[in-house]
Amino acid sequence: MNDLLYNIVFVFLMATVAVVSARKLHFSSIPLLILLGVLFGPHAPYGAGFDFRLVKSTESVELFSRLGMLLLLFYLGLEFSAGRVIKSGVTILKGGTIYVTLNFLRGVGLGWLFFHSWPEALVVAGITTVSSSAIVTKLLVELKRTANPETELILGIMVFEDAFMAVYLSVLSGYFLAQGTSFVVGLMAGFITVAFIFAVLGLGRFMSPYLDRWLNFRSGEPLIMVVFTLLVIMAVMAEKAGVTEAVSALLLGLVLAETSHVKRIIQLVTPLRDLFGAVFFFSFGMGIDCRQFAPVALLVLAALGATIAGNFIAGIAGAWVCGYRGRPLVNVACTLFARGEFAVIAAGLAGASGSAGILQPLAALYILLLSIISPVLAKKSRSIYLGLDKAWRLLSRHKTESFAG
């Protein structure tokens, strides 16, 4: 019991150091949390006279981490509503299709260049295609952009990505683990995910008047208890249906955003989100073994360059067809760089099959570096937009002068 308590103490101590330091440095806490997880987790450096392995990966840490991810996505859902998402369905479908297709094709091309093998190329595409919902959500909150109009599209793209990954992972696991493709199983998984999303959104809109009455508590204690219980019930239901917990949390937030109690729920959930969200990112770093990075360093640098360029183009194209212009267009492109949980799962499937053993350290270093780069790009989106606007004006003036001359 003492070891368990000491472990929890170290987890929260490191998370506190990262969050307080980030606040002092006016920087995102995400990279610091992940780096401290790498430096003091089970894979931390050790040798003669020193041992940085202060924190173990226990069930309690994993539980806190899962709660952190659920609360991050739940909070994002509360900032919107099921009605707004349903109304924007066609727009989200257009933007999500373009964004995911361009990124996936870029990932397949990159994987083929690395390995000259289709299975490994598909795994690299899975690692580099889908954004990390948890990191993107945390960035939106830290940069105070949850109320921006373009955030609705970012939210929609994340939901679309989840449906896509349900199909992709089912096909990939069928290939690597069952020694053969299972396209029908993949399509069924995608259908179940989409059906689950629409069923919850539709039922939620129907139930919102009843929820409004049931949640009408004067005290905050019963309200947060009921809301938290609904959150874990939804997570269990999603798991049974083969849908990720993150989407279930997001959907519940969208449904409860339809009620008149949304502001009170946000006030009650925010401290829990910050507390367990920090543990989620620290725990994420604990799973990274930095001793395996050297052989994959050059591949990761190439993947980073391709991802930053490709993701920016895909984000701009996806937002453009949805009618966004100017700075919101660049905000969409600059917010979706981070990769995370799905990249780990895709690399893990290839590792479990014994195929291309370097894919797991490649994914780990790739995710770690993007978690450092993506907050900087998201924060500097205004400067990027002004630079692009200036370059475009100069190019247009040069063309006009050339035509006149």
Side-chain angles (χ1 to χ4, degrees), residues 4 33 47 55 62 89 120 128 134 142 157 161-162 164 181 189 238 244 250 259 290 324 351 373:
L4 187 64
L33 285 162
V55 183
E62 185 183 346
E120 278 74 22
T128 59
E142 287 186 343
I157 287 176
E161 285 179 325
D162 196 83
F164 166 78
T181 54
T244 62
L250 181 65
T259 71
C290 57
Y324 291 90
I373 295 169

Side-chain angles (χ1 to χ4, degrees), residues 285-303:
M286 288 170 60
I288 296 175
D289 186 353
C290 57
R291 287 165 297 190
Q292 299 179 344
F293 287 168
V296 297
L298 288 178
L299 293 181
V300 170
L301 288 177

Side-chain angles (χ1 to χ4, degrees), residues 19 97 127 147 233 257 346:
V19 171
T97 302
I127 291 170
I233 288 174

Side-chain angles (χ1 to χ4, degrees), residues 238-312:
E239 189 178 14
K240 297 290 183 189
V243 180
T244 62
E245 297 172 345
V247 165
S248 74
L250 181 65
L251 293 175
L252 180 63
L254 291 169
V255 169
L256 293 184
E258 295 274 331
T259 71
S260 60
H261 308 290
V262 60
K263 289 185 178 177
R264 289 180 68 206
I265 297 173
I266 287 175
Q267 287 176 344
L268 292 168
V269 162
T270 300
L272 295 174
R273 176 206 69 191
D274 293 339
L275 184 68
F276 293 110
V279 177
F280 167 76
F281 292 109
F282 181 81
S283 172
F284 188 75
M286 288 170 60
I288 296 175
D289 186 353
C290 57
R291 287 165 297 190
Q292 299 179 344
F293 287 168
V296 297
L298 288 178
L299 293 181
V300 170
L301 288 177
L304 281 177
T307 301
I308 291 171
N311 199 83
F312 191 79

